[in-house]
């Protein structure tokens, strides 16, 4: 984002600040403040790929969230959406893929500050130690997390989520056996890795094209409590709680502020994702499978040992 565009967006944020605050106050009065979920990939100051942000930028984001929003976990987001009770601005933080560099700064910072986070892992890259295909193809073979690091994060209180076995694009997969392997086998591998249940799934790429009916059905069949997209949207109260909508934790700070102050234009242009699930599991039945995750709640963590 160039300086001119950043300045224009900053000016727009300032001009809209009062009207947005009034709108949020109206939504708060009826318990309908939308929930925000941001996703990140890699936080590091070296060898940047297209999804890397610096440690300083990440710290600025966390400072902003803590000063203006309530930071919650994904279970709390789902509870607010379903129960129709959200009286303040909330933020849930997630990571995708599983980059080793996140252990150097981002994860210790979150645990030091007792901030909830869901860390979505592509299992085969972690197990085999091979770089992600998109980085290898770009000539930047960055190191994924190790199994030991994922276990250490889980033991320290970071929620580990599933991001398939091989970071596949479901829009290009036409074999139901392949879909099942990338979802169900990935969940099994991850649960064996950390010795705990895995409750959430995030679609690689996360655009409407990847959110196929077959894949969502198998996510549901596998017993996940919900799935995450990544096309940029809010979680509106009373909406579909099984589908958790996320936006990019943009390194351009003004774009992040624009999202966090609730841009109604973005809300109006959100893509529609339609799918159908068998009525096998109600929200209460899903929660009964997760006795360690009562709702509503805000998670706090213990000490982290790097």
């Amino acid at each position: 984002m160039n300086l001119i565009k950043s300045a224009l967006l900053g000016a727009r944020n300032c001009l809209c600040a009062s009207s947005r605050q009034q709108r949020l106050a109206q939504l708060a009065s009826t318990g309908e403040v939308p929930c925000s979920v941001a996703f990140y990939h890699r936080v590091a100051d070296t060898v940047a790929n297209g999804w890397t942000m610096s440690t300083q930028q990440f710290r600025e984001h966390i400072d902003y969230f803590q000063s203006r929003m309530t930071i919650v976990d994904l279970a709390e987001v789902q509870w607010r959406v379903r129960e129709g009770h959200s009286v303040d601005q909330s933020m849930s933080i997630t990571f995708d893929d599983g980059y080793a560099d996140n252990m150097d700064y981002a994860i210790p910072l979150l645990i030091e500050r007792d901030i909830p986070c869901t860390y979505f892992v592509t299992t085969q890259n972690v197990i085999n130690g091979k770089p992600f295909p998109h980085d290898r193809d770009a000539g930047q073979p960055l190191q994924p997390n190790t199994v030991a690091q994922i276990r250490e994060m889980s033991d320290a209180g970071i929620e580990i989520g599933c991001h398939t076995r091989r970071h596949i694009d479901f829009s290009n997969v036409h074999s139901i056996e392949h879909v099942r392997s990338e979802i169900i086998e990935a969940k099994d591998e991850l649960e064996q890795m950390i010795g705990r249940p895995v409750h959430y799934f995030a679609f690689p790429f996360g655009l409407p094209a990847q959110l196929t009916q077959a894949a969502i059905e198998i996510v549901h069949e596998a017993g996940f409590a919900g799935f995450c997209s990544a096309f940029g949207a809010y979680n509106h109260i009373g909406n579909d709680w099984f589908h958790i909508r996320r936006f990019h934790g943009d390194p351009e700070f003004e774009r992040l502020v624009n999202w966090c102050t609730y841009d109604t234009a973005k809300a109006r242009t959100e893509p529609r994702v339609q799918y159908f699930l068998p009525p096998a599991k109600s929200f209460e039945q899903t929660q009964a499978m997760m006795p360690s995750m009562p709702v509503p709640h805000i998670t706090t963590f213990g000490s982290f040992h790097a």
Side-chain angles (χ1 to χ4, degrees):
M1 189 177 186
N2 61 41
L3 293 177
I4 295 176
K5 287 184 178 179
S6 181
L8 289 173
L9 184 55
R12 181 189 175 209
N13 288 339
C14 290
L15 289 172
C16 295
S18 178
S19 61
R20 290 186 180 186
Q21 288 174 356
Q22 291 177 2
R23 176 59 177 156
L24 286 168
Q26 292 172 349
L27 292 169
S29 68
T30 58
E32 297 178 292
V33 180
C35 301
S36 296
V37 181
F39 70 92
Y40 298 88
H41 286 81
R42 178 175 179 264
V43 176
D45 295 325
T46 59
V47 196
N49 62 2
W51 294 103
T52 298
M53 72 158 40
S54 71
T55 55
Q56 179 180 348
Q57 289 170 324
F58 185 71
R59 190 181 191 96
E60 288 174 351
H61 284 206
I62 299 305
D63 289 344
Y64 180 86
F65 298 151
Q66 286 194 296
S67 66
R68 292 167 175 82
M69 309 174 84
T70 302
I71 304 181
V72 302
D73 62 14
L74 294 181
E76 170 76 5
V77 171
Q78 288 184 298
W79 186 88
R80 290 185 181 211
V81 170
R82 181 182 181 273
E83 296 299 316
H85 184 74
S86 181
V87 298
D88 60 354
Q89 286 188 275
S90 62
M91 171 60 70
S92 189
I93 296 169
T94 67
F95 277 78
D96 285 0
D97 295 353
Y99 285 97
D101 300 278
N102 293 329
M103 294 292 284
D104 296 332
Y105 183 82
I107 298 304
L109 175 67
L110 295 175
I111 297 178
E112 177 187 351
R113 296 192 183 189
D114 290 340
I115 293 175
C117 171
T118 303
Y119 198 84
F120 290 102
V121 175
T122 304
T123 59
Q124 283 299 298
N125 295 92
V126 169
I127 291 170
N128 297 327
K130 296 180 179 179
F132 301 103
H134 45 275
D135 291 327
R136 184 189 63 241
D137 295 344
Q140 297 172 320
L142 299 168
Q143 186 66 34
N145 287 115
T146 64
V147 170
Q149 288 174 334
I150 298 301
R151 286 174 179 159
E152 184 177 7
M153 275 190 272
S154 179
D155 290 343
I158 296 294
E159 181 174 31
I160 305 300
C162 184
H163 200 47
T164 73
R165 300 185 77 218
R166 298 181 180 88
H167 203 275
I168 66 165
D169 182 342
F170 283 107
S171 68
N172 296 325
V173 177
H174 307 293
S175 163
I176 197 68
E177 290 78 13
H178 192 181
V179 176
R180 294 180 67 86
S181 171
E182 289 291 335
I183 296 172
I184 294 177
E185 290 183 29
K187 185 174 188 285
D188 291 343
E189 288 175 344
L190 203 51
E191 290 179 338
Q192 291 176 26
M193 190 184 302
I194 64 174
R196 293 180 173 88
V198 173
H199 301 299
Y200 293 101
F201 181 86
F203 278 86
F205 307 101
L207 301 177
Q210 283 80 43
L211 308 180
T212 67
Q213 174 66 28
I216 295 174
E217 282 188 25
I218 293 174
V219 167
H220 182 261
E221 175 191 333
F224 286 103
F227 71 87
C228 292
S229 60
F231 53 75
Y234 301 101
N235 296 280
H236 288 97
I237 305 309
N239 207 340
D240 171 18
W241 55 265
F242 192 64
H243 174 191
I244 301 168
R245 295 151 175 84
R246 302 184 297 170
F247 56 79
H248 182 215
D250 202 297
E252 291 293 342
F253 192 69
E254 291 300 341
R255 287 199 291 210
L256 180 79
V257 171
N258 187 61
W259 272 108
C260 291
T261 51
Y262 190 51
D263 186 339
T264 55
K266 292 184 182 297
R268 288 194 299 269
T269 58
E270 175 189 337
R272 294 189 66 184
V273 175
Q274 293 182 313
Y275 64 92
F276 304 93
L277 294 177
K281 294 188 181 79
S282 67
F283 184 84
E284 290 80 9
Q285 289 171 323
T286 300
Q287 291 301 318
M289 297 167 59
M290 301 156 52
S292 62
M293 298 177 66
V295 289
H297 74 291
I298 301 174
T299 303
T300 57
F301 302 134
S303 301
F304 177 78
H305 301 285

